[in-house]
Amino acid sequence: MAYLGTASVHAWGCFNGGGGTIRDSFNLSSISRLGNGRIHVNIDVNCNNDNYCILTNKRYNNSGITSTDNIISGVVNTLPSAGSCVIYTRSASGGVIDCDDVSVAIIGDRS
């Protein structure tokens, strides 16, 4: 049973950052790959406003314990809307790169 209410996890998902395929999710309608390392995340039922928390995580590739993990993930420097946000994955040197596994959690109030 999911907890829905004020300040709860409003939406979450895990997906392939390079292919744009959602593996599993709650309250995400779709994702769109905007280019290397940039993913537009669409929320099914909007948040109450655009002041919500966005958490990201990633894994560069699925090659096991030798995989590179010198990767940064975060929110693109644009304001999110009540119904979507853009996240990125970037190498430590600053270049945007695709990751095999990307996760996002959005915490905020339901509209």
Side-chain angles (χ1 to χ4, degrees):
M1 172 184 269
Y3 168 73
L4 299 175
T6 302
S8 65
V9 175
H10 182 78
W12 61 265
C14 57
F15 40 87
N16 179 305
T21 304
I22 297 176
R23 292 193 178 101
D24 199 3
S25 68
F26 169 74
N27 199 30
L28 293 185
S29 59
S30 65
I31 61 169
S32 303
R33 185 175 176 272
L34 300 176
N36 285 349
R38 292 176 44 103
I39 303 157
H40 187 242
V41 178
N42 294 297
I43 302 168
D44 192 27
V45 176
N46 287 0
C47 291
N48 192 38
N49 55 48
D50 58 2
N51 297 316
Y52 51 85
C53 176
I54 304 167
L55 305 172
T56 63
N57 200 355
K58 76 325 176 229
R59 181 173 56 182
Y60 178 59
N61 62 39
N62 291 321
S63 64
I65 60 172
T66 60
S67 66
T68 303
D69 198 33
N70 199 11
I71 310 299
I72 302 162
S73 64
V75 180
V76 170
N77 193 22
T78 56
L79 293 175
S81 70
S84 69
C85 63
V86 177
I87 62 173
Y88 69 85
T89 52
R90 199 177 281 278
S91 69
S93 63
V96 289
I97 59 170
D98 291 330
C99 290
D100 288 349
D101 296 307
V102 179
S103 301
V104 63
I106 296 168
I107 301 170
D109 300 335
R110 290 175 93 59
S111 59

